[in-house]
Amino acid sequence: MGDSTPADQYLDAAAGLLQRVREEESENIAAAGRLLAGTVAAGGRLFAFGAGHSSLAAQDVVYRAGGLALMNLLVVPGVVGVDVMPATLGSALERVDGLAAAVLGSSPLRAGDALVIISLSGRNALPVEMALEARALGVRVIGVTSVAYAAETSSRHSSGSYLKDHCDIVLDSKIAVGDAELTHDSVPAPFAPASTVVTAALLQSVMATAAVALADSGIEPPLLRSGNVDGGHDWNGRVLEEYGDRIFYRH
């Protein structure tokens, strides 16, 4: 291994994390997939939220070829991605008390829906409050987080709790505190984060589980197809029309 490149080391680290997730989170992944499938079968709606880079995995399951058409992005202005200027403002907004309640109050979320909340640390006010408020509304919450942060960092929510404490199902990404997989003698800080790779894979495994669970229950899963394959646009048009009342990214 002495001759392995940084790229080799990173890919090995990512593969190791994915293997841990496969071995240690399989029951939770199955439960999360069943929860989403059950929500769809019962007429509920599906939403996903992540702040900053955690939003990347949320966006990866919304309006996605090969994905469930019913997954909607819950948008909090200024925190979805890193396009807010300055980018540091997004990090500051995650710590604002009351923001999640205001967003949920003006969103279409209602009792019987399901919300996936992605937060690597799970310590900031926004994801903790969002989980609390959503469950109070009767929404089922799936949290995707690194449970290690709860043991090694302090909460930034007034309750002192973390995202993992307010979820129906928790998916642990196994990411080490600091989210940097590599070190090097001549590099002054740890580097090479893997949270996006692992979290996106976790969520896609949940979506795959949900699609098959729907099919096994006799419901054709409302999947989108690539617009770059022949017939894809026509297929998607039919799905979007049939489920238009549960799809909010078109309005």
Side-chain angles (χ1 to χ4, degrees), residues 16-58:
L17 285 163
L18 290 172
Q19 187 62 40
R20 279 193 65 196
V21 164
R22 179 179 180 178
E23 293 171 355
E24 300 171 22
E25 295 300 303
S26 59
E27 290 185 13
N28 292 330
I29 290 169
R34 289 194 301 268
L35 190 156
L36 294 185
T39 300
V40 171
R45 293 90 59 81
L46 309 180
F47 296 84
F49 167 76
H53 289 94
S54 290
S55 73
L56 296 174

Side-chain angles (χ1 to χ4, degrees), residues 176-243:
V177 173
D179 192 16
E181 291 300 317
L182 301 184
T183 58
H184 191 277
D185 290 344
S186 60
V187 179
F191 58 103
S195 59
T196 304
V197 172
V198 176
T199 304
L202 250 176
L203 275 184
Q204 290 294 357
S205 67
V206 170
M207 304 306 284
T209 304
V212 173
L214 280 168
D216 286 347
S217 68
I219 299 171
E220 181 183 325
L223 295 168
L224 293 173
R225 303 187 75 163
S226 172
N228 296 313
V229 300
D230 291 343
H233 284 299
D234 290 338
W235 172 284
N236 291 344
R238 288 192 297 270
V239 173
L240 296 174
E241 182 69 27
E242 181 178 351
Y243 288 93

Side-chain angles (χ1 to χ4, degrees), residues 76-77 79 92-105 126 129-130:
V76 178
V79 305
L93 289 172
E94 284 190 72
R95 305 177 192 181
V96 174
D97 289 327
L99 180 56
V103 167
L104 288 175
L126 181 55
E129 180 187 339
M130 185 172 286

Side-chain angles (χ1 to χ4, degrees), residues 18-196:
L18 290 172
Q19 187 62 40
R20 279 193 65 196
V21 164
R22 179 179 180 178
E23 293 171 355
E24 300 171 22
E25 295 300 303
S26 59
E27 290 185 13
N28 292 330
I29 290 169
R34 289 194 301 268
L35 190 156
L36 294 185
T39 300
V40 171
R45 293 90 59 81
L46 309 180
F47 296 84
F49 167 76
H53 289 94
S54 290
S55 73
L56 296 174
Q59 293 178 62
D60 192 50
V61 294
V62 174
Y63 188 51
R64 191 71 162 88
L68 286 178
L70 302 193
M71 184 60 76
N72 299 279
L73 190 67
L74 180 62
V75 176
V76 178
V79 305
V80 178
V82 291
D83 55 344
V84 61
M85 297 298 290
T88 51
L89 176 60
S91 299
L93 289 172
E94 284 190 72
R95 305 177 192 181
V96 174
D97 289 327
L99 180 56
V103 167
L104 288 175
S106 60
S107 79
L109 273 157
R110 65 190 185 194
D113 292 347
L115 171 62
V116 178
I117 301 176
I118 306 157
S119 173
L120 178 60
S121 73
R123 68 188 295 223
N124 287 309
L126 181 55
V128 175
E129 180 187 339
M130 185 172 286
L132 270 165
E133 296 283 340
R135 291 182 90 190
L137 290 172
V139 173
R140 303 290 295 279
V141 174
I142 298 168
V144 187
T145 187
S146 170
V147 171
Y149 275 82
E152 301 180 42
T153 68
S154 58
S155 171
R156 291 182 176 138
H157 187 257
S158 56
S159 67
S161 61
Y162 298 79
L163 170 61
K164 72 174 184 64
D165 300 318
H166 307 288
C167 300
D168 295 279
I169 299 169
V170 175
L171 301 175
D172 183 4
S173 64
K174 317 295 180 183
I175 300 294
V177 173
D179 192 16
E181 291 300 317
L182 301 184
T183 58
H184 191 277
D185 290 344
S186 60
V187 179
F191 58 103
S195 59
T196 304

